[in-house]
Amino acid sequence: MTTGVLTRQLAPGIEVQIVSPADFGSAAADLVQNQLAVKANAVIGFPTGNTPLPLYHELLRRQQQGQIDLSQLQPVMLDDYLGAVGDEPISFYNWLRREFFDPAGIAASRIWRMPTDPDGIDEACRRYEQGLVERGGVDLQLLGLGLNGHIGFNEPGSPADSRTRVVKLTETTTVANAAYWSDPSKVPHSGVTMGVGTILEARSIGLLVNGAAKAEILRAALLGPMTTAVPASLLRKVQKVHVVADEAAASQLG
Ligand code: GLP
């Protein structure tokens, strides 16, 4: 367990673990390690973005040290861009492979890829959900937090019972996402995401939040009204959420 952490209960079933920035990756990696300790072939949903990078670095470090066994892990995806097919560089699938799956030796055949081909996408989204069911459901869903409160690409207004589907991205999101890619003008304006309802069905959920820029929205998500206007606030509907926040992100929690 990471040392020097403060764990608080802000809402029923929502545990908030506040850590120093140096411990952030380790605290997030503990969620994965604890899950794999009870189920070696756990189905785990992985997010993209800047937030989970310390998590992936730490998981790779632990694997190299022989401290964690990822050989049976069943990874699933949270979201991607509509049209990010094949080897398209602006793709969360390829981002995850580069940052985590490939260096961890996780074969592409083990990854349940979010569909992105616009052709037949609605049916492919249904098959994606079916694939989660066939894997026995998601054991641990890891999430980042968008500046506007989105989880995955569930933008404000996304219903609590929404399923995997195509969504129109807000300008806040496309601007924030431009930071991931060398050509910001090419960031797609539509995404494909697990729905809020899909996420809430996971057996456990880890919300990872770091940096001062997320302090206000994390406060709104955990202490403000539970509303579709702040999709992350809907996580309070279920009592199985563990938040890992660094001190800057947690600074508005009182
Ligand atoms: C992106 C992704 C989310 C991610 C979030 C936060 O748009 N769709 O899955 O969790 O926004 O990103 P970051 O961690 O870079 O702040």
Side-chain angles (χ1 to χ4, degrees):
M1 196 59 179
T2 314
T3 52
V5 300
L6 173 67
T7 303
R8 298 174 54 192
Q9 196 96 39
L10 284 187
I14 307 266
E15 219 171 51
V16 186
Q17 187 183 358
I18 302 170
V19 298
S20 69
D23 286 336
F24 186 75
S26 181
D30 284 348
L31 299 183
V32 174
Q33 183 139 21
N34 293 342
Q35 177 63 67
L36 292 173
V38 292
K39 186 178 175 190
N41 65 345
V43 177
I44 302 184
F46 290 100
T48 49
N50 288 322
T51 308
L53 283 173
L55 160 70
Y56 298 136
H57 295 157
E58 176 62 12
L59 288 175
L60 293 171
R61 192 196 66 77
R62 290 185 190 186
Q63 187 192 42
Q64 276 152 17
Q65 305 283 314
Q67 295 165 358
I68 192 168
D69 179 3
L70 303 172
S71 65
Q72 295 179 62
L73 164 69
Q74 300 186 74
V76 301
M77 285 184 63
L78 172 65
D79 55 9
D80 208 332
Y81 297 116
L82 183 66
V85 292
D87 291 336
E88 163 59 50
I90 298 188
S91 140
F92 285 171
Y93 172 75
N94 291 318
W95 186 98
L96 277 166
R97 285 193 62 182
R98 187 183 68 233
E99 299 293 338
F100 179 44
F101 298 144
D102 287 354
I106 296 170
S109 56
R110 266 166 62 203
I111 306 161
W112 189 227
R113 183 175 182 171
M114 184 60 70
T116 51
D117 189 341
D119 194 18
I121 187 68
D122 293 340
E123 178 52 28
C125 286
R126 279 190 285 276
R127 276 201 306 276
Y128 186 79
E129 292 262 345
Q130 188 54 34
L132 298 180
V133 172
E134 283 160 11
R135 284 162 177 75
V138 177
D139 294 298
L140 170 63
Q141 180 61 52
L142 296 171
L143 303 168
L145 177 65
L147 285 169
N148 60 5
H150 76 207
I151 45 176
F153 270 145
N154 290 285
E155 298 283 37
S158 296
D161 62 355
S162 49
R163 311 304 306 187
T164 300
R165 69 202 187 289
V166 172
V167 289
K168 182 107 200 70
L169 303 180
T170 62
E171 205 189 328
T172 314
T173 297
T174 48
V175 169
N177 277 208
Y180 310 146
W181 314 107
S182 50
D183 188 349
S185 68
K186 294 222 172 103
V187 176
H189 290 270
S190 296
V192 190
T193 183
M194 277 186 184
V196 178
T198 319
I199 291 168
L200 294 181
E201 276 173 14
R203 280 182 207 94
S204 61
I205 297 172
L207 177 67
L208 314 179
V209 193
N210 62 8
K214 301 276 178 71
E216 255 322 302
I217 195 65
L218 181 61
R219 188 203 58 77
L222 297 183
L223 299 173
M226 215 193 290
T227 163
T228 56
V230 181
S233 71
L234 302 173
L235 295 171
R236 282 148 55 201
K237 285 171 78 74
V238 291
Q239 308 203 342
K240 51 189 172 185
V241 181
H242 185 100
V243 182
V244 177
D246 74 355
E247 289 143 351
S251 62
Q252 303 294 311
L253 298 179

